[in-house]
């Protein structure tokens, strides 16, 4: 069983819509959770981190964490074509990072 | 903000040669650096964790004699791929814990 699971996509949404990206993890002891955006051929860029249950908002991005369900999500409001990228979910457990395989998001103009 | 600078951004080398990749922390001290490898269309896989002044800790399946990691100062960690082979061609990325686990810009290694 993979440590972190993501749907590979692609997820296609029209410009201006809400994109919803999901991630599940297997280790209940995981302590912190991260979302990264990665453009093709580039290094991942940290979007958000979340450490406790509930929602965390930053601009157009909202991360949601549900530790009981071992579920993390990322909502992107007012999606823009520039948001088209692969989104990686990462889970940190005692300073070891485990990454999902990423969800490819396409935002259509 | 704090930045991790990685060089070179890309390198092509002949099979059997060694390649050194540098990761520098700019305007902060990095006590812990993480080295990752990413094959095309796959996710990042942690290779090793390096702590300043001590030996690196390698993940299972990563050959420590092939991937030499040196973290001799608080601002520089290096990864040397020794006797590189085509299967080592990958995207290598470093990360520093002190900056919220942000990543260096990555190094695309192609072994021909």
């Amino acid at each position: 069983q993979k440590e972190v699971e993501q749907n590979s996509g692609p997820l296609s949404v029209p410009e201006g819509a809400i994109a919803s990206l999901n991630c599940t993890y297997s280790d209940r002891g995981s302590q912190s959770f991260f979302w990264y955006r990665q453009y093709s051929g580039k290094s991942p860029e940290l979007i958000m981190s979340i450490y406790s249950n509930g929602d965390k908002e930053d601009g157009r991005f909202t991360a949601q964490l549900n530790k009981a369900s071992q579920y993390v999500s990322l909502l992107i409001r007012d999606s823009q074509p520039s948001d088209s990228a692969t989104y990686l979910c990462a889970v940190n457990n005692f300073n070891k990072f485990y990454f999902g395989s990423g969800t490819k998001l396409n935002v259509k103009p | 903000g704090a930045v991790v600078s990685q060089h070179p951004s890309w390198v092509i080398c002949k099979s059997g040669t060694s390649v050194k990749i540098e990761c520098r922390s700019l305007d902060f001290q990095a006590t812990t650096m993480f080295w990752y490898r990413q094959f095309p269309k796959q996710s990042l896989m942690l290779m090793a964790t390096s702590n300043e002044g001590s030996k690196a800790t390698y993940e299972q399946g990563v050959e420590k004699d092939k991937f030499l990691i040196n973290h001799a100062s608080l601002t520089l960690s290096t990864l040397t791929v020794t006797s590189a082979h085509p299967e080592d061609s990958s995207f290598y990325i470093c990360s520093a814990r002190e900056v919220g686990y942000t990543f260096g810009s990555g190094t695309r290694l192609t072994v021909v």
Side-chain angles (χ1 to χ4, degrees):
Chain A
Q1 180 184 8
K2 289 184 180 179
E3 296 279 349
V4 182
E5 300 259 15
Q6 291 182 259
N7 188 318
S8 61
L11 171 66
S12 292
V13 299
E15 183 175 356
I18 296 175
S20 177
L21 304 161
N22 305 313
C23 170
T24 58
Y25 59 95
S26 60
D27 190 338
R28 283 191 174 276
S30 300
Q31 303 155 331
S32 50
F33 308 85
F34 302 80
W35 281 100
Y36 291 86
R37 176 173 61 196
Q38 186 175 27
Y39 294 109
S40 181
K42 301 294 184 181
S43 189
E45 170 193 8
L46 180 65
I47 298 175
M48 291 191 69
S49 58
I50 186 167
Y51 301 91
S52 54
N53 279 329
D55 295 359
K56 179 181 178 182
E57 186 174 320
D58 184 0
R60 296 187 295 113
F61 300 96
T62 299
Q64 299 173 318
L65 173 61
N66 184 325
K67 289 187 176 180
S69 300
Q70 296 173 241
Y71 178 89
V72 193
S73 66
L74 179 70
L75 300 177
I76 307 174
R77 289 181 298 281
D78 188 23
S79 296
Q80 301 297 309
S82 58
D83 294 327
S84 298
T86 296
Y87 289 80
L88 303 175
C89 172
V91 172
N92 185 288
N93 192 1
F94 294 102
N95 276 329
K96 281 199 173 183
F97 260 70
Y98 299 94
F99 284 84
S101 54
T103 298
K104 187 173 176 60
L105 173 66
N106 290 327
V107 181
K108 298 181 178 180
Chain B
V3 173
V4 176
S5 175
Q6 187 171 344
H7 294 280
S9 56
W10 61 271
V11 57
I12 301 174
C13 72
K14 290 185 177 181
S15 185
T17 61
S18 296
V19 174
K20 180 184 283 189
I21 300 169
E22 292 187 349
C23 223
R24 293 183 183 274
S25 57
L26 306 180
D27 71 20
F28 74 98
Q29 294 182 328
T31 56
T32 303
M33 282 280 200
F34 304 95
W35 286 94
Y36 294 85
R37 179 169 54 184
Q38 186 179 34
F39 292 108
K41 297 188 178 181
Q42 295 187 24
S43 191
L44 282 75
M45 294 298 294
L46 178 66
M47 297 176 66
T49 302
S50 73
N51 293 296
E52 186 268 337
S54 62
K55 289 184 178 180
T57 302
Y58 290 82
E59 294 299 301
Q60 191 173 10
V62 177
E63 300 174 60
K64 61 180 181 181
D65 294 330
K66 181 173 182 61
F67 299 99
L68 302 179
I69 292 174
N70 184 289
H71 195 161
S73 78
L74 288 170
T75 60
L76 176 63
S77 178
T78 62
L79 167 68
T80 301
V81 183
T82 63
S83 186
H85 291 284
E87 58 265 30
D88 298 323
S89 298
S90 186
F91 192 46
Y92 292 85
I93 317 174
C94 62
S95 171
R97 182 171 57 188
E98 283 76 3
V99 287
Y101 302 101
T102 55
F103 288 90
S105 54
T107 298
R108 174 76 58 193
L109 170 64
T110 302
V111 185
V112 297

